[in-house]
Amino acid sequence: MDLDALTAARADQWARLDELARRRRLDGAEADELARLYQSVATDLSTIRSTAPDPTAVANLSGSLARARARLAGAHEPAWSDVARFAVVTAPAALYRIRWWIVGVAAASIVVAVVVGWWVATDDGALAALGPKSARDKYALHDFSDYYAPSSTFASVVWTNNAWLSALCVALGITGIGPAWVLFTNAVNVGSVAGLMATYGRLDDFFASILPHGMLELTALFTAGAAGLRIFWTLVDPGPRPRSRALAEEGRSLLTVAITLVVALAVSGLIEGFVTGSGLPTWVKLGIGAVALAAFWAYVLVLGGRAARAGETGDVDVERGGDVRPVAA
């Protein structure tokens, strides 16, 4: 099929459809005309997609048809099928695309935490920098374990704090420095506490209190940092796409990741608020944390991998993404 010939033959109809779809009021004749044009242009779009899938033509016609469909069908609430599709296709696809970024951020954070923990545990000067001995004694012997007393208030406070850190990584992602600083600071804090607890021979208590919720909580923070750094790297190297388009696409995917992290952090907050400080055996608490972490990665790798192989990116579909300009692959 010759796309230029089809465009020349149908351009007036396409323009008329878009004009009618954008009007605030339609009389009876115009509404009938809109319905006829909708059917005709939908056929044209199907033809273009199957024989000459030009991105600009597809996006323009999809946008016009979406507006026309809204006028014909009237406003409606998002269908549950859209919510389900977001949960099992769009969100895991967005996470899958940054899986190696998550692994890289996690590895770097763990290295920083281990180095800082070793330094605090083996250097008297580093240990003294954490505060006077009386304060260190009180924290290591009492405050650390008392902090995790189960309560709904504590769970909500934990969720708010973690959501705030993740939001900082997302909001400051374009700077590159923002998420890197949040991640570095968090790793230093975790390592410092681990080193302090090690000097009191309570490293086992540290891991028993941190890991049940921390496996998922820290992974969520690493994911937020990875998403933020990914959009920064898109600014540096947009690839074959125009920089503005690349940032728009990655930014929309970043918002998808942020929404999923709200759920992940809520789960980790519940575990921290009701499991970590509970009287359950340590192996049970660690098992709950491991199951939560495994569920997260199964969501990313299984559902996300399947969605990615089907061409999903975590971005909105072509009808909602707006017009795009074709670029070289």
Side-chain angles (χ1 to χ4, degrees), residues 82-150:
D82 292 338
V83 176
R85 188 178 190 282
F86 177 87
V88 302
V89 176
T90 306
L95 291 168
Y96 185 82
R97 291 182 68 238
I98 62 170
R99 63 195 185 284
W100 292 117
W101 287 80
I102 300 173
V103 172
V105 166
S109 297
I110 291 172
V111 168
V112 170
V114 169
V115 170
V116 170
W118 176 84
W119 183 37
V120 169
T122 59
D123 186 279
D124 292 339
L127 180 64
L130 297 181
K133 185 176 184 304
S134 59
R136 299 197 305 267
D137 291 346
K138 183 174 182 294
Y139 181 83
L141 299 176
H142 303 287
D143 291 350
F144 180 79
S145 57
D146 292 345
Y147 174 77
Y148 295 103

Side-chain angles (χ1 to χ4, degrees), residues 151-188:
S151 75
S152 58
T153 301
F154 177 62
S156 64
V157 169
V158 166
W159 180 86
T160 301
N161 178 68
N162 293 334
W164 170 245
L165 290 178
S166 297
L168 283 177
C169 289
V170 171
L172 301 176
I174 194 69
T175 68
I177 297 174
W181 177 251
V182 171
L183 292 166
F184 177 78
T185 303
N186 185 72
V188 169

Side-chain angles (χ1 to χ4, degrees), residues 2 9 40 70 172 180 191 215 221 295 304:
D2 189 331
S40 176
L172 301 176
M215 285 186 274
L221 181 60

Side-chain angles (χ1 to χ4, degrees), residues 17-313:
L17 174 73
D18 198 59
E19 177 192 352
L20 292 174
R22 292 177 184 274
R23 284 189 183 179
R24 298 187 63 178
R25 297 178 182 275
L26 298 174
D27 58 30
E30 288 171 336
D32 290 341
E33 182 184 5
L34 179 64
R36 290 194 301 271
L37 287 173
Y38 177 85
Q39 294 176 342
S40 176
V41 176
T43 300
D44 292 340
L45 177 59
S46 178
T47 301
I48 292 172
R49 278 177 165 163
S50 61
T51 59
D54 177 73
T56 300
V58 169
N60 288 341
L61 292 183
S62 296
S64 296
L65 286 169
R67 287 186 287 272
R69 184 166 55 249
R71 293 303 305 274
L72 292 169
H76 63 279
E77 295 297 321
W80 281 110
S81 60
D82 292 338
V83 176
R85 188 178 190 282
F86 177 87
V88 302
V89 176
T90 306
L95 291 168
Y96 185 82
R97 291 182 68 238
I98 62 170
R99 63 195 185 284
W100 292 117
W101 287 80
I102 300 173
V103 172
V105 166
S109 297
I110 291 172
V111 168
V112 170
V114 169
V115 170
V116 170
W118 176 84
W119 183 37
V120 169
T122 59
D123 186 279
D124 292 339
L127 180 64
L130 297 181
K133 185 176 184 304
S134 59
R136 299 197 305 267
D137 291 346
K138 183 174 182 294
Y139 181 83
L141 299 176
H142 303 287
D143 291 350
F144 180 79
S145 57
D146 292 345
Y147 174 77
Y148 295 103
S151 75
S152 58
T153 301
F154 177 62
S156 64
V157 169
V158 166
W159 180 86
T160 301
N161 178 68
N162 293 334
W164 170 245
L165 290 178
S166 297
L168 283 177
C169 289
V170 171
L172 301 176
I174 194 69
T175 68
I177 297 174
W181 177 251
V182 171
L183 292 166
F184 177 78
T185 303
N186 185 72
V188 169
N189 290 338
V190 172
S192 298
V193 174
L196 173 63
M197 296 296 285
T199 63
Y200 285 84
R202 303 196 64 184
L203 196 57
D204 55 340
D205 292 336
F206 169 80
F207 286 118
S209 297
I210 288 292
L211 290 180
H213 63 274
M215 285 186 274
L216 180 59
E217 176 184 282
L218 292 174
T219 299
L221 181 60
F222 298 154
T223 301
L229 292 173
R230 171 65 182 263
I231 198 169
F232 166 72
W233 187 249
T234 300
L235 176 65
V236 175
D237 181 16
R241 299 170 293 178
R243 184 170 276 103
S244 59
R245 173 180 161 188
L247 287 173
E249 293 174 351
E250 296 299 334
R252 290 191 295 264
S253 295
L254 174 62
L255 291 178
T256 299
V257 171
I259 292 171
T260 62
L261 292 183
V262 171
V263 178
L265 288 171
V267 173
S268 69
L270 289 173
I271 295 174
E272 187 168 2
F274 295 100
V275 174
T276 298
S278 71
L280 292 171
T282 299
W283 67 269
V284 173
K285 293 189 283 188
L286 293 176
I288 292 174
V291 168
L293 179 63
F296 174 84
W297 277 110
Y299 183 73
V300 174
L301 299 178
V302 178
L303 293 182
R306 183 174 64 188
R309 288 190 293 273
E312 296 290 336
T313 64

